[in-house]
Amino acid sequence: MKVRIASPADPWPAPRVAAYTLLILTIASTFSYIDRIILSLMVGPIRQTFGIGDTEIGLLQGVAFGIFYTIAALPLGRLVDFWDRRAVIAIGAAVFSLFTVASGLSREYWQLFLARVGVGAGEASLNPAAYSILADTYPKERLSGALGLFTMGAFVGIGCAFIFGGVIVQWAMTTGPIVLPIFGSIEPWQTAFLVVGLPGLLMALWVTTLKEPLRRGVVTSPDGRLRPPPLRSVLSRIWSHKGLYIPMFAGFCAITLNGYAGTSWTAEFFKRTFDWNSAQVGLWYGLIGVMIASVLGALAGGRMADWVGRRHADAPLRVAALAMLFSWIPSATATLMPNPWLALGVLAIAQFFTTFPFPLAAAAIQLATPNQYRGQTSALYLFTINLCGLGLGPLVVGIMNDHVFPAADGVRYSLALVNAITAPLAALLLWIALKPYRAARAQNDAQD
């Protein structure tokens, strides 16, 4: 498939085209996170159906989803660097939607485990392709803000998963099992998977209406064609800038572990500690903690980086590091509060700041990486942070719940300890990466 490369005289996409592209990618991100997060509202019913503990739930939320989410990201990242990025996203959206439906039809724990593996494999296509498209759609001075809006879609998806998922789960629990043709009777938690999975197939079709943007800052081969570098060249480039990529990737690993631990277990914290039901958790945590605090954090992080970037070339990492430092105390103390409303308020403050770094990681990589390396570098970044954060975050809390803090409300202490360690560690690692980031950014700017 022929890739169109921009010349220096080619204008950037028109504002309306850029806005339409950002809208569709943001909605696609919203759908992907709804499919990913809905399971966290159904921990109790799933445990009861399969007779499992928190460790097995942690495996479902982390390892199962993360296996192919991390592994598939590598070949998909290479595909992004030379193939139609719209097709990569559309096919991936169809795959993760179908496997979400399969989650709702699972009869055994191993079947649900494999279905979550499939959801991860499908969702692995979205971020590398979306990052690359947006970097070719928005000029550098507006990229962080655009990625902030795109990242907002993730938190809108999480919020919708909690708010509407909570209502669906609570409704399903009161109405009991339903009977489907061919598949027979299914449990209420299975119904929730079907309801959130099927609309994603329409989303996959909508993605195909995007216009593939011209690629900018590309170094072509002598015959004038775009040839994506082999993985060993990408790894060699990363190693040659190891002073940047090692602390940057490690810092965002700590942030991702912090984020997925909270996203996977906060609902259970409110249920076990304050006896809230799924509808209460979905409404109040989904609305205040996610739809307000996290969405505003994603927007503020991107806008702040654009503003700081007028004076500091390292703005994406600088803002991310400071945000994690500001989040430290509230994130470490939120789950220790004596009542649910105080816990929710402190948690909202923590999530406002811990959301800053997510769009900034994508912006930092795009701005410091040549075009033809972006897809694979983004994929390696996602492989690293999800292997650590997604694979370990939910699992570590589950293990701690079972073996370190086994009391009914022990999840509150597990979350507090994880947050107390990861927030300052992330801030330190990102600050170490500032100087090498400025050097890499200057080198990349000189090539554009």
Side-chain angles (χ1 to χ4, degrees), residues 109-191:
Y109 175 80
W110 66 267
Q111 293 174 344
L112 181 56
F113 187 97
L114 291 178
R116 302 314 289 171
V117 170
V119 172
E123 292 190 11
S125 65
L126 178 59
N127 282 347
Y131 294 163
S132 180
I133 287 175
L134 291 174
D136 288 331
T137 302
Y138 285 88
K140 287 182 172 63
E141 63 273 12
R142 296 175 56 206
L143 180 60
S144 292
L147 285 167
L149 287 168
F150 171 71
T151 305
M152 178 193 72
F155 295 102
V156 170
I158 295 171
C160 288
F162 279 109
I163 294 172
F164 299 112
V167 172
I168 291 168
V169 170
Q170 198 62 32
W171 166 79
M173 295 301 294
T174 58
T175 57
I178 64 172
V179 178
L180 296 177
I182 301 176
F183 297 100
S185 178
I186 63 172
E187 296 292 328
W189 62 266
Q190 295 174 294
T191 303

Side-chain angles (χ1 to χ4, degrees), residues 331-346:
S331 67
T333 59
T335 58
L336 305 179
M337 294 295 109
N339 67 71
W341 303 108
L342 189 56
L344 187 61
V346 177

Side-chain angles (χ1 to χ4, degrees), residues 80-394:
V80 165
D81 285 333
F82 72 93
W83 205 51
D84 188 314
R85 293 166 286 188
R86 301 167 303 173
V88 173
I89 295 174
I91 293 170
V95 169
F96 72 66
S97 299
L98 287 171
F99 274 104
T100 299
V101 172
S103 299
L105 301 175
S106 301
R107 298 294 184 179
E108 304 287 344
Y109 175 80
W110 66 267
Q111 293 174 344
L112 181 56
F113 187 97
L114 291 178
R116 302 314 289 171
V117 170
V119 172
E123 292 190 11
S125 65
L126 178 59
N127 282 347
Y131 294 163
S132 180
I133 287 175
L134 291 174
D136 288 331
T137 302
Y138 285 88
K140 287 182 172 63
E141 63 273 12
R142 296 175 56 206
L143 180 60
S144 292
L147 285 167
L149 287 168
F150 171 71
T151 305
M152 178 193 72
F155 295 102
V156 170
I158 295 171
C160 288
F162 279 109
I163 294 172
F164 299 112
V167 172
I168 291 168
V169 170
Q170 198 62 32
W171 166 79
M173 295 301 294
T174 58
T175 57
I178 64 172
V179 178
L180 296 177
I182 301 176
F183 297 100
S185 178
I186 63 172
E187 296 292 328
W189 62 266
Q190 295 174 294
T191 303
F193 276 122
L194 299 181
V195 170
V196 302
L198 290 171
L201 298 175
L202 296 177
M203 178 68 243
L205 291 175
W206 193 15
V207 169
T208 62
T209 66
L210 285 176
K211 182 178 181 180
E212 176 77 3
L214 299 174
R215 293 180 185 254
R216 298 174 182 275
V218 176
V219 178
T220 58
S221 59
D223 61 3
R225 299 182 61 187
L226 173 63
R227 298 184 186 277
L231 180 59
R232 64 178 180 274
S233 296
V234 178
L235 293 173
S236 177
R237 185 186 180 279
I238 289 175
W239 184 249
S240 69
H241 294 81
K242 57 183 177 292
L244 164 62
Y245 287 105
I246 290 177
M248 181 171 71
F249 281 21
F252 285 114
C253 278
I255 293 169
T256 308
L257 195 153
N258 176 300
Y260 276 113
T263 300
S264 300
W265 289 103
T266 297
E268 281 300 296
F269 155 68
F270 281 106
K271 290 181 178 182
R272 297 180 188 184
T273 306
F274 302 116
D275 201 29
W276 278 13
N277 60 37
S278 294
Q280 287 175 298
V281 174
L283 175 61
W284 295 113
Y285 174 63
L287 179 62
I288 297 174
V290 182
M291 294 291 278
I292 295 177
S294 295
V295 168
L296 289 177
L299 292 173
R303 295 298 182 186
M304 181 68 71
D306 281 344
W307 181 72
V308 174
R310 298 172 187 173
R311 298 184 61 184
H312 299 281
D314 58 14
L317 297 189
R318 181 181 294 264
V319 172
L322 291 173
M324 290 308 296
L325 193 60
F326 291 149
S327 78
W328 183 15
I329 299 303
S331 67
T333 59
T335 58
L336 305 179
M337 294 295 109
N339 67 71
W341 303 108
L342 189 56
L344 187 61
V346 177
L347 191 62
I349 296 171
Q351 292 196 187
F352 174 75
F353 287 112
T354 56
T355 307
F356 271 48
F358 289 99
L360 304 183
I365 291 171
Q366 307 312 301
L367 294 173
T369 307
N371 189 296
Q372 71 270 32
Y373 288 90
R374 287 174 183 163
Q376 292 184 81
T377 301
S378 294
L380 285 167
Y381 158 74
L382 292 169
F383 175 88
T384 304
I385 66 165
N386 287 306
L387 190 65
C388 174
L390 178 54
L392 294 180

